[in-house]
Amino acid sequence: MREFFMVGGRKLSYLDFGGPGRPLLALHGHYNEASAFASLAEALAPRWRVIALDQRGHGESDRATSYERDDYIADVVAFHRHLGVGPVPVLGHSLGGVNAYQFAARHPDKVSRLLVEDIGAVVDCDWSFTTRLPLPAPSREDLVAALGATAPYLECSFRQKRSGWGFSFGIDDTVTSQKALNGDHWDDWTAVSCPTLLVHGTRSDELSAGHARTMVARGRRARLVELAAGHVVHHDAPEQFAAAVTDFLSEPC
C-alpha cells in the first residue's frame, strides 16, 4: 500500500508491503525507488513487513532543493517517527546504505540491526552514467533499447510523461545527490553500535572486496556476506540475498 506524509512542506511517499510481521525499513539507491524491494518483501513475508521509503527526489516523493547528507538523514528520522515504531532493522542499498548507517550511527536508539548492501565507508561516485541517460524516449520500448543491459535495474523508475518516457527521478537532482554522497564516512561507519551485515557483490564496480573487508574489520559488530552479483545484489541474486537477510535477522542479538 502506498502512503504519504509531510516533512517541512514536502511530500514523502512510501510503500508498506503489509502483513503481520515485524517492520523492516528499507532505503533504495540512486535510480530506484521503494518498489525496488517488492521481491525482497515477498521473500521475507510473513515474518517481516517491509516498509520502503521513496527517498527525496525519487519515486512519488517530491523533488527537493537540497540533497545533502543531513537532509537524507532528517527524512529517515521523520519516516521513523511517522511510522511510530521502536528500534527496528534498517536495510539500505547504495545511497540508501550510506543513509542507513549514518542514521544508525546518529540515532542508535532507533535501529536494532543494520543491513548495508554494497556501498563503502568511502564513496567516490561517478555520475557520468546519469548525464548520459536517454531522455526523453518516444516509447517504453525505445527507453529499454537505449538503456540496454542496464534497463532491468532502472525499470521500477520508468515513467510516461507528456514529453515521452523517462524516470521518476530528475537528472540534475540525481547528479547533485551523487556529488553530495561522495566523501569519507568512516566516522559514521565506526560509530554504529548495533549488529551489522555488509553484503558485497563480488562483481560490484562500486565496492571492492578489500574495502568491504576493511569495513568489517573496523566495524564494531559487523560481519560480511559476499554473493556472486554486481552492485545491485538484491536484483542479481535475489534468493541468496533474501536468505542472507533472513539468516541475519534470525540471529540472537
Side-chain angles (χ1 to χ4, degrees):
M1 179 187 305
R2 184 172 294 282
E3 302 281 356
F4 300 92
F5 65 102
M6 301 297 293
V7 179
R10 290 180 303 102
K11 177 187 70 179
L12 287 178
S13 166
Y14 65 95
L15 287 178
D16 184 343
F17 291 94
R22 297 166 58 190
L24 166 68
L25 308 191
L27 306 172
H28 62 78
H30 284 122
Y31 315 123
N32 279 174
E33 55 187 61
S35 61
F37 293 110
S39 295
L40 178 65
E42 183 178 0
L44 297 183
R47 185 170 184 181
W48 293 95
R49 168 189 166 199
V50 175
I51 310 174
L53 179 66
D54 278 342
Q55 300 194 85
R56 59 174 51 210
H58 298 77
E60 299 304 313
S61 290
D62 287 340
R63 301 280 172 86
T65 57
S66 176
Y67 293 89
E68 296 297 322
R69 296 284 76 234
D70 288 347
D71 300 321
Y72 277 110
I73 306 312
D75 287 348
V76 181
V77 171
F79 182 42
H80 183 276
R81 181 173 60 246
H82 170 76
L83 294 174
V85 294
V88 289
V90 178
L91 180 153
H93 169 242
S94 198
L95 161 71
V98 178
N99 294 346
Y101 71 67
Q102 290 187 325
F103 175 61
R106 301 174 193 186
H107 301 275
D109 59 317
K110 296 176 173 60
V111 183
S112 60
R113 289 179 182 269
L114 174 66
L115 302 98
V116 176
E117 180 186 350
D118 209 71
I119 195 67
V122 177
V123 180
D124 183 16
C125 183
D126 178 4
W127 52 85
S128 61
F129 172 78
T130 308
T131 58
R132 295 196 306 268
L133 287 170
L135 290 174
S139 69
R140 181 187 178 94
E141 291 73 21
D142 288 319
L143 181 59
V144 169
L147 289 169
T150 62
Y153 299 97
L154 279 68
E155 64 180 350
C156 69
S157 298
F158 287 1
R159 293 291 191 281
Q160 186 175 20
K161 304 178 182 180
R162 289 184 180 180
S163 58
W165 279 83
F167 307 99
S168 60
F169 55 86
I171 300 301
D172 291 342
D173 296 288
T174 302
V175 170
T176 299
S177 178
Q178 289 173 316
K179 290 180 178 179
L181 180 64
N182 282 354
D184 183 328
H185 309 303
W186 273 116
D187 285 349
D188 284 305
W189 175 259
T190 57
V192 173
S193 57
C194 65
T196 300
L197 179 69
L198 176 62
V199 181
H200 169 234
T202 58
R203 300 193 302 272
S204 173
D205 57 2
E206 179 62 44
L207 176 64
S208 71
H211 187 60
R213 290 164 189 163
T214 301
M215 289 173 69
V216 170
R218 293 182 61 179
R220 293 191 190 182
R221 303 174 67 185
R223 69 181 182 86
L224 176 66
V225 167
E226 295 185 296
L227 298 176
H231 176 52
V232 191
V233 185
H234 68 264
H235 178 278
D236 291 348
E239 293 181 2
Q240 297 90 333
F241 183 78
V245 171
T246 300
D247 289 348
F248 176 67
L249 293 175
S250 300
E251 294 175 357
C253 291

